[in-house]
Amino acid sequence: MQDDADRQTEVRALLAELGTAMIATGQPVQEIEEELAEVSARLGYPDVQTAVGPTGLMVTLTSGGASTYRGAPAGLRLHQSASVRLIRHQLVQGELTIAEARGELAATARRPVQQPAWLVALAWPVLAVGIALILQPGWANVAAAGVGALIVLVLVQLAERYEVVKALLPTLAAFAVSLLIFGAANAGLLEGPLRTVLPPLAVLLPGALVVNGMSELAAGHMQAGSARLTYGLAQLGLFALGLLMATALLRIPTSTLVNLRVDDIGWAGAPVGLVLIGASICLMEGVPLRMQGWVLLVLSLAFGAQLAGQELGTIALGGFLGAIAASLGASIVELRRPQLPRLVLFLPAFWLLVPGSLGLVGVTELAAGRESATDVALGLLGVAIAISLGLLVGSSIGRALRGRRPPAPADALAVAASPSPPAAD
């Protein structure tokens, strides 16, 4: 009897550690609950009940039984997310003991990015340049975006040391970048400053929070979805506050706060931007070199579908089609190449699709008195709902396809999750 109680305690601890690691990867709570139930059933507890939220979870193995709560750690990078997925797969296949799985999870949380720190830092301005090539492809705008990204990088590093900077990071980053870019616009060095502010801030914008919140609400998880959505919108407001403080200090006329697109570079800007976005995200997130081409493929599929939807209809239609392409494309690649985890392929495309940047434009125009609150709110919700529905459709089709194929062997998956020497790349 005591042995059974001890085993239940160990299983609950494992599920709590695995579940919070999955929260840290950025998965919606409905997917986490489904996958934890699969693991628990394999371990002999099919009646498991979990309550997953954005910041932690509670798990009990039997109705009325003891429960375990665990808070989620800080967000994991993509190479760590691949390891978490491998551990979950090996548990389902019965290839890891409970103690081994817990040890692997602890090691994954400590696993650093393999690339040098200077190369990871370089990825920040490269990412901003790539986004600028798509969002605001003017030579002066692209250069300003790269310089702004360096300012954001310095602030992020300071936030790791000082709590006050961490708490005020959205406002400080938006304020500093806006001073630079709107100051350059005042001096006549560039046009379209509002869209130029967005690329340096893109890595911090809460678009993923907004879309994940909408996805969780659509799946019936009201508490998690509403909490994530509210937090994301509040963060968006803090970014807009910093931007408006800078424009007020510089006395920028409201006529300058307009959604103007500059196109000096032409058609070549978008493909070059996609390559730079994919490469920089892979550097920042520690994605192995052998997987980066597939990341770029899914990223391109999502961008192409989004662009086609915008040409045929609206921004919301583009988001819907792009989300389907990203989610379904990642699932199909995983079916063909089991060593490529779907989450690692999907998330970079998801970050390209999220409406955080467009939302910041809308909130800024609202504060400047250029748009009505109703129009801005409906626009934000429309795009977020469209992307969320696209994710649900794509993931549902992907699950149906995976259900028709045997599970991938764990040794193939281990290729993606475990470090390897540079020569193997």
Side-chain angles (χ1 to χ4, degrees):
M1 190 71 177
Q2 183 62 33
D3 290 342
D4 184 61
D6 291 341
R7 175 175 167 75
Q8 287 191 22
T9 300
E10 287 292 308
V11 171
R12 285 200 313 273
L14 169 63
L15 293 177
E17 292 168 6
L18 177 61
T20 51
M22 293 165 70
I23 292 173
T25 66
Q27 283 185 263
V29 299
Q30 65 270 18
E31 293 183 9
I32 296 174
E33 290 185 351
E34 291 175 4
E35 295 184 0
L36 285 180
E38 186 180 7
V39 173
S40 183
R42 180 63 179 81
L43 295 175
Y45 299 96
D47 299 324
V48 65
Q49 297 180 17
T50 55
V52 183
T55 59
L57 63 80
M58 184 173 293
V59 57
T60 181
L61 301 179
T62 58
S63 179
S67 62
T68 296
Y69 173 81
R70 181 179 174 85
L76 298 178
R77 296 179 184 267
L78 289 183
H79 72 289
Q80 296 168 314
S81 299
S83 297
V84 172
R85 185 190 180 284
L86 170 63
I87 293 167
R88 193 200 72 84
H89 176 85
Q90 290 177 320
L91 284 169
V92 172
Q93 297 300 310
E95 297 170 357
L96 281 181
T97 66
I98 296 174
E100 289 171 343
R102 295 184 67 185
E104 288 290 333
L105 285 170
T108 295
R110 298 189 298 267
R111 186 169 296 151
V113 174
Q114 299 297 310
Q115 288 81 5
W118 67 266
L119 195 57
V120 175
L122 180 63
W124 285 70
V126 172
L127 176 61
V129 167
I131 295 175
L133 285 171
I134 295 175
L135 190 63
Q136 191 69 309
W139 293 113
N141 307 81
V142 170
V147 176
L150 294 176
I151 296 174
V152 174
L153 175 60
V154 171
L155 289 173
V156 168
Q157 292 177 339
L158 289 175
E160 295 176 355
R161 294 185 176 185
Y162 305 105
E163 284 297 323
V164 64
V165 179
K166 183 177 181 180
L168 298 175
L169 181 60
T171 303
L172 289 175
F175 178 74
V177 171
S178 299
L179 277 181
L180 168 72
I181 293 175
F182 280 99
N186 259 358
L189 300 178
L190 56 84
E191 296 180 348
L194 183 57
R195 292 175 71 98
T196 310
V197 168
L198 302 178
L201 300 175
V203 72
L204 300 178
L205 289 172
L209 283 171
V210 174
V211 173
N212 261 345
M214 293 301 303
S215 175
E216 289 162 351
L217 286 174
H221 291 267
M222 294 177 288
Q223 291 182 333
S226 59
R228 207 187 298 263
L229 182 61
T230 301
Y231 180 72
L233 293 177
Q235 291 288 299
L236 201 59
L238 292 176
F239 279 104
L241 175 62
L243 192 152
L244 292 171
M245 288 170 56
T247 58
L249 181 62
L250 295 173
R251 297 183 179 179
I252 302 295
T254 56
S255 59
T256 305
L257 298 175
V258 62
N259 192 1
L260 171 67
R261 188 174 191 270
V262 178
D263 191 358
D264 297 335
I265 298 175
W267 65 269
V272 173
L274 279 176
V275 172
L276 293 180
I277 291 171
S280 58
I281 290 177
C282 289
L283 282 176
M284 294 169 69
E285 298 292 319
V287 177
L289 182 61
R290 60 181 166 272
M291 300 174 62
Q292 293 180 15
W294 295 101
V295 169
L296 182 59
L297 173 63
V298 176
L299 192 68
S300 301
L301 289 174
F303 177 74
Q306 183 184 32
L307 188 61
Q310 291 177 357
E311 291 293 329
L312 295 174
T314 63
I315 292 177
L317 178 61
F320 176 73
L321 296 180
I324 292 178
S327 182
L328 184 58
S331 297
I332 292 175
V333 170
E334 186 186 48
L335 285 174
R336 302 288 296 176
R337 303 277 183 172
Q339 74 274 19
L340 303 175
R342 181 180 67 91
L343 186 67
V344 175
L345 299 173
F346 165 71
L347 282 179
F350 180 50
W351 293 333
L352 180 66
L353 290 171
V354 293
S357 58
L358 292 177
L360 180 56
V361 170
V363 172
T364 303
E365 292 189 332
L366 170 62
R370 302 184 59 86
E371 297 288 344
S372 70
T374 302
D375 290 341
V376 171
L378 290 177
L380 282 173
L381 289 176
V383 176
I385 291 172
I387 294 178
S388 302
L389 290 177
L391 296 181
L392 291 175
V393 171
S395 61
S396 297
I397 298 174
R399 281 197 298 268
L401 292 175
R402 289 195 297 272
R404 299 176 60 182
R405 292 284 300 273
D411 56 350
L413 292 169
V415 175
S418 58
S420 58
D425 290 334

